[in-house]
């Protein structure tokens, strides 16, 4: 088990991404953040705080649950079924610039589901993607616009993002299989 | 927090193929269904009230008894989850030519549906089909036995209004004898720790009902006194063979829920009814349409609860590969 990002590193990555969002979009006009449950949600909130510090503006922030849009729902015979939770997007996404926030980008299937889910809420002008970690191994043509850290991995490894709000600590851990 | 000790994994799925009754569910499973229904309710509040979750699944609604609310509610729930739905109306089916329930079910089964939602006048009909069908069976009311999704939507509505179920005084008043809604509700509410009172004419109180952990009374004022929830049950004239009480008028005078009786309950009481209501028989119109009534909330919540049940059964069931 190796810690690949600690609290400082996560914090600096998010601050940098916040600056990149402002630069790319020339401010935060018409911009909204949508975190993918679970860990994308606190990440989106932290980005909103950083954007407020940089621009002085409040950026609307929502939470997206993609469970009902997954493509692997009925494929597992055993193993836990994901818990469905509420999607909370208390603003119109029509013609907005939506910055989708997730913790890890891996196969791209979560992002595919998130895009489908999001588009059921309206027609954003543009959707951009933030991930804290890009670990490679894409199975779909998906690319992040803002990346906290690229971490080369093998498929046997697992990447765990732990966040203060949900896990009591800030770190990204790379787990290698035993033996 | 000790990082070496993984927290106990929360329950996230039902490990059943069927939902036959509340009796077969643990309290944790009931809470899982209610929690999942909260997320499903949000889907119903969107502009596009549809998610792709059950795409490619076929669900057959097999109703051997009249139903407006339950069948419509299941069908909307199925459609919101993108399942293909099929309604078999018994009046136009081969049952009128003498086909048995099992033969009807085996023929539907041969077309490989994922689930069958069954309503039948015989108690235990769902258990019978669950044993012989690969498809998941969802009980939409079987005889005098159970109507689990009604009890779940009632519990959802109570929890939504009161924030909890444990410790609440719930009075269930009406035709107890012929009510599967009663039997499912008593099982569910006692499972989650409510103080349940049941009330009706002595002729309509099932013998031994106290064994389910409720208090029975023929005095409606005693049942309603200080109640957090008053649930009225319909007088089911179509199921009555014999005279259980002198007249509907006398029934209303003795047991009907009037504003004067509601006043004995807590100030924030909620009045429930599974429908269809008989105005002026078990409930006065002023009460049914009054400020304490949540009768239409129950109907609205029914869709979310049924979506939750269908989702949880579809994801957890073993029949998926076999189909």
């Amino acid at each position: 088990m190796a810690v690949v990002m600690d609290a400082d590193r996560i914090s600096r990555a998010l601050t940098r991404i916040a600056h990149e969002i402002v630069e790319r979009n020339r401010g935060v006009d018409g911009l909204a953040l949508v975190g993918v449950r679970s860990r994308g949600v606190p990440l989106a909130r932290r980005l909103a705080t950083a954007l407020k510090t940089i621009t002085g503006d409040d950026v609307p922030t929502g939470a997206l649950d993609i469970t009902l849009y997954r493509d692997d729902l009925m494929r597992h015979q055993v193993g836990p079924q994901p818990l469905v939770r509420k999607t909370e997007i208390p603003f119109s996404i029509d013609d907005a610039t939506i910055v989708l926030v997730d913790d890890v980008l891996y196969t791209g299937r979560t992002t595919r589901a998130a895009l489908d889910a999001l588009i059921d809420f309206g027609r954003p002008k543009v959707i951009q993607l933030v991930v804290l970690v890009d670990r490679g191994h894409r199975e779909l043509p998906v690319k992040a616009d803002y990346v906290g850290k690229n971490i080369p991995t093998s498929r046997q490894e697992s990447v765990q993002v732990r966040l203060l709000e949900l896990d009591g600590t800030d770190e990204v851990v790379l787990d290698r299989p035993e033996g | 927090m000790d990082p070496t000790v993984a927290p106990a994994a929360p329950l996230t799925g039902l490990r059943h193929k069927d939902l036959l009754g509340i009796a077969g569910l643990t309290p944790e499973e009931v809470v899982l269904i209610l929690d999942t229904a909260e997320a499903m309710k949000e889907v119903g509040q969107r502009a596009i009230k549809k998610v792709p979750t059950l795409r490619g699944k076929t669900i057959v609604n097999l109703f051997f008894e009249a139903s407006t609310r339950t069948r419509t509610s299941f069908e909307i729930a199925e459609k919101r989850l993108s399942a293909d739905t099929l309604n078999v109306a018994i009046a136009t089916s081969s049952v009128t030519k003498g086909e048995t329930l099992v033969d009807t079910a085996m023929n539907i089964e041969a077309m490989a549906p994922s689930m069958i939602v069954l309503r039948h006048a015989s108690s235990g009909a769902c258990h019978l089909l669950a044993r012989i069908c690969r498809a998941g069976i969802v009980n939409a009311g079987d005889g005098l036995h159970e109507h689990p999704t009604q009890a779940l939507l009632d519990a959802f509505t109570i929890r939504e209004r009161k924030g909890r179920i444990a410790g609440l005084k719930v009075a269930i008043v009406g035709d107890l004898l012929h009510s599967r809604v009663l039997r499912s509700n008593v099982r569910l509410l006692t499972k989650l720790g409510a103080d349940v009172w049941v009330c009706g004419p002595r002729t309509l109180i099932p013998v031994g009902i106290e064994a389910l952990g409720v208090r029975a009374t023929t005095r409606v004022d005693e049942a309603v006194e200080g109640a957090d929830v008053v649930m009225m049950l319909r007088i089911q004239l179509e199921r009555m063979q014999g005279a259980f009480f002198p007249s509907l008028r006398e029934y209303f005078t003795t047991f009907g829920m009037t504003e004067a009786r509601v006043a004995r309950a807590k100030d924030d009481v909620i009045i429930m009814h599974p429908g269809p209501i008989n105005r002026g028989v078990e409930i006065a119109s002023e009460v049914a349409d009054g400020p304490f009534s949540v009768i239409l909330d129950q109907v609205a919540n029914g869709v979310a609860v049924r979506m939750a049940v269908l989702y949880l059964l579809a994801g957890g069931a073993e029949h998926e590969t076999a189909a």
Side-chain angles (χ1 to χ4, degrees), chain B residues 88-115:
Chain B
V88 179
I90 288 314
T92 59
S93 78
S94 291
V95 172
T96 57
K97 301 177 188 169
E99 192 172 58
T100 66
L101 169 64
V102 169
D103 285 334
T104 302
M106 292 307 284
N107 278 277
I108 290 171
E109 171 86 354
M111 295 180 253
S114 303
M115 280 189 263

Side-chain angles (χ1 to χ4, degrees), chain A residues 31-37 40-52 57-64 87-91 93 98-99 101:
Chain A
L31 194 100
L33 294 157
V34 174
V36 178
R37 286 193 192 276
V41 177
L43 290 175
R45 296 220 177 89
R46 291 188 199 183
L47 281 173
T49 308
L51 289 170
K52 167 102 178 166
D57 293 329
D58 285 311
V59 177
T61 306
L64 188 66
T87 288
E88 289 164 305
I89 302 184
F91 46 84
I93 69 166
I98 299 297
V99 178
V101 185

Side-chain angles (χ1 to χ4, degrees), chain B residues 77-92:
Chain B
E78 291 153 6
K79 289 190 151 77
R80 286 194 179 160
L81 290 171
S82 299
D84 294 315
T85 67
L86 186 73
N87 294 309
V88 179
I90 288 314
T92 59

Side-chain angles (χ1 to χ4, degrees), chain A residues 139-155:
Chain A
E139 294 169 4
L140 296 173
V142 169
K143 187 173 180 296
D145 299 275
Y146 314 94
V147 178
K149 185 175 168 62
N150 285 294
I151 301 178
T153 61
S154 77
R155 284 176 188 275

